[in-house]
Amino acid sequence: LTSPLLGQPLRDLQAMAERANVTLSRLPKPTEFRDTHANGLDLRPIAVEDLLTRPQIKLERQAISGLIDKQRVLVTGAGGSIGSELCRQIAQCNPALLVLLDNCEYNLYAIDIDLQERFPDVPRALALVDIRDATAVERVFRDRRPDLVFNAAALKHVPLVEHNPIQGVQTNVFGTRNVAEAARRNGVLAFVQVSTDKAVSPTNVMGATKRLAEYYCQALDLAGGRTDSANTYFKTVRFGNVMGSSGSVIPLF
């Protein structure tokens, strides 16, 4: 490929190439100034992003930076695929403190090392905590006093949660309740519930548990009113099939 072909036309061409047992590659635009290999070609494989029929979401960095600048931010599930990327994005926005909470020892270690290398000047605190443990969650909130919370901790692999529904309920519903209630009790400014498009008219246990978590956060937001500036705002953001995330079906396809 030498032209910026994307979406369905590229998928059709990819299917033709597979039937003919031919590898499809992409050359850079002639106007790109790039180092080339010895043979003068810079062949690149077709990326998953090239096959999408919709553009990738671009973050509004200025608005996000204004929200996070000089705030104490807590991310649950910080070592997971979505949580770790949230941490890297937040670290670029000058937080006063970034609290990393995860129940997986290695994942927590890995994201801490990554942030230390990329953003050595960002203050960090580690919390090896399972969000199912309400007492431990409350202790983290009292000790670290976060202003903003991003709740990315969840079980999100659809078939596994389907076969282990109790575990899905305990983490996605009760765990979210523990974090949300701790945020409310400790005067958090805003709580962002990271959810999934599978919570829309859910047809599986994972989607149903995330929908319940959404309902709970929405109820807390409505119950708080807006008369007192100390009230916590509860918001939900739904992700689709995030490329590279744990539980994504793209690697299987």
Side-chain angles (χ1 to χ4, degrees):
L1 298 179
T2 57
S3 61
L5 201 61
L6 298 172
Q8 188 62 48
L10 179 55
R11 293 209 299 275
D12 293 342
L13 193 58
Q14 180 82 17
M16 292 172 59
E18 288 179 358
R19 288 194 296 270
N21 197 27
V22 171
T23 299
L24 192 63
S25 298
R26 184 185 293 281
L27 280 169
K29 296 177 183 179
T31 53
E32 289 185 24
F33 293 94
R34 303 170 60 92
D35 292 332
T36 59
H37 301 298
N39 61 4
L41 295 177
D42 186 15
L43 292 173
R44 290 176 285 172
I46 304 301
V48 173
E49 302 93 286
D50 297 332
L51 303 177
L52 296 177
T53 56
R54 60 179 183 270
Q56 286 184 275
I57 299 298
K58 302 296 183 182
L59 296 177
E60 296 181 20
R61 293 192 178 276
Q62 187 173 357
I64 295 172
S65 296
L67 175 69
I68 294 171
D69 184 52
K70 297 182 177 60
Q71 301 288 341
R72 301 165 69 88
V73 184
L74 183 148
V75 179
T76 72
S81 47
I82 291 178
S84 60
E85 182 59 27
L86 275 173
C87 290
R88 285 186 281 269
Q89 299 287 342
I90 291 167
Q92 299 178 49
C93 300
N94 192 37
L97 175 68
L98 180 52
V99 183
L100 313 175
L101 187 152
D102 204 291
N103 73 331
C104 177
E105 180 184 35
Y106 178 75
N107 285 353
L108 191 59
Y109 162 79
I111 184 59
D112 183 49
I113 291 296
D114 185 31
L115 293 175
Q116 173 60 33
E117 293 177 352
R118 297 177 186 231
F119 310 100
D121 297 330
V122 174
R124 301 183 312 283
L126 306 184
L128 187 60
V129 168
D130 190 330
I131 61 170
R132 299 180 183 186
D133 186 341
T135 302
V137 169
E138 179 69 20
R139 187 180 303 116
V140 172
F141 274 81
R142 289 184 178 178
D143 290 345
R144 300 304 179 183
R145 293 292 175 184
D147 303 299
L148 304 172
V149 173
F150 292 83
N151 185 44
L155 295 181
K156 51 181 179 271
H157 194 286
V158 172
L160 284 177
V161 175
E162 199 70 20
H163 291 105
N164 299 272
I166 294 176
Q167 301 302 314
V169 170
Q170 287 181 339
T171 295
N172 297 351
V173 181
F174 298 150
T176 295
R177 181 190 65 183
N178 292 339
V179 180
E181 291 288 358
R184 194 184 193 196
R185 282 192 298 268
N186 290 277
V188 168
L189 173 64
F191 177 103
V192 179
Q193 168 68 3
V194 178
S195 191
T196 169
D197 59 354
K198 295 168 185 65
V200 182
S201 302
T203 58
N204 52 67
V205 175
M206 192 279 281
T209 59
K210 295 297 283 185
R211 184 57 177 264
L212 279 171
E214 289 183 8
Y215 280 145
Y216 194 86
C217 293
Q218 183 181 23
L220 289 181
D221 190 72
L222 293 172
R226 290 292 159 253
T227 57
D228 186 345
S229 61
N231 284 337
T232 303
Y233 286 85
F234 289 86
K235 302 299 175 186
T236 292
V237 57
R238 287 172 175 164
F239 286 106
N241 204 304
V242 180
M243 289 185 293
S245 68
S246 173
S248 170
V249 78
I250 291 176
L252 175 62
F253 289 164

